[in-house]
Amino acid sequence: MEQQPVLTPLLCREARTLLDLDTAEVAFVARIPVAVLETFEAGHAMPPTTVLATLRRVFERGGVAFRPGRSKRGVELSVA
């Protein structure tokens, strides 16, 4: 079974950008404070793993596939 990559600040920013969402939109859907997302993306603090898992699910539901080894940006839109 392939291990899922950890959601890093860079992967988070790239996924958000790929979906053309701002931090407020992602924070709203993930039900987290905007400041938590902005602080994480800036690399200043690591949120709890539950928050990281929620963010990952939000992006994956939007069609993002995390492929840091196969994609230059580390993310790409999945083709279903």
Side-chain angles (χ1 to χ4, degrees), residues 37 44 51 72:
L37 180 57
H44 297 303
V51 170
K72 182 178 178 182

Side-chain angles (χ1 to χ4, degrees), residues 4 8 12 16 24 27-28 48 52 58 72:
Q4 294 184 344
T8 64
C12 186
R16 187 173 54 74
F28 177 80
L52 295 175
V58 166
K72 182 178 178 182

Side-chain angles (χ1 to χ4, degrees), residues 19 21 25-26 29-30 53-63:
L19 295 176
L21 298 172
E25 292 168 315
V26 172
V29 174
T54 299
L55 287 168
R56 186 181 178 96
R57 279 192 305 276
V58 166
F59 294 133
E60 288 174 340
R61 287 182 188 145

Side-chain angles (χ1 to χ4, degrees), residues 13-51:
R13 282 192 309 272
E14 292 292 346
R16 187 173 54 74
T17 301
L18 186 64
L19 295 176
D20 195 27
L21 298 172
D22 63 31
T23 54
E25 292 168 315
V26 172
F28 177 80
V29 174
R31 296 185 175 164
I32 62 170
V34 174
V36 169
L37 180 57
E38 290 173 344
T39 303
F40 171 58
E41 285 191 355
H44 297 303
M46 185 65 83
T49 55
T50 54
V51 170

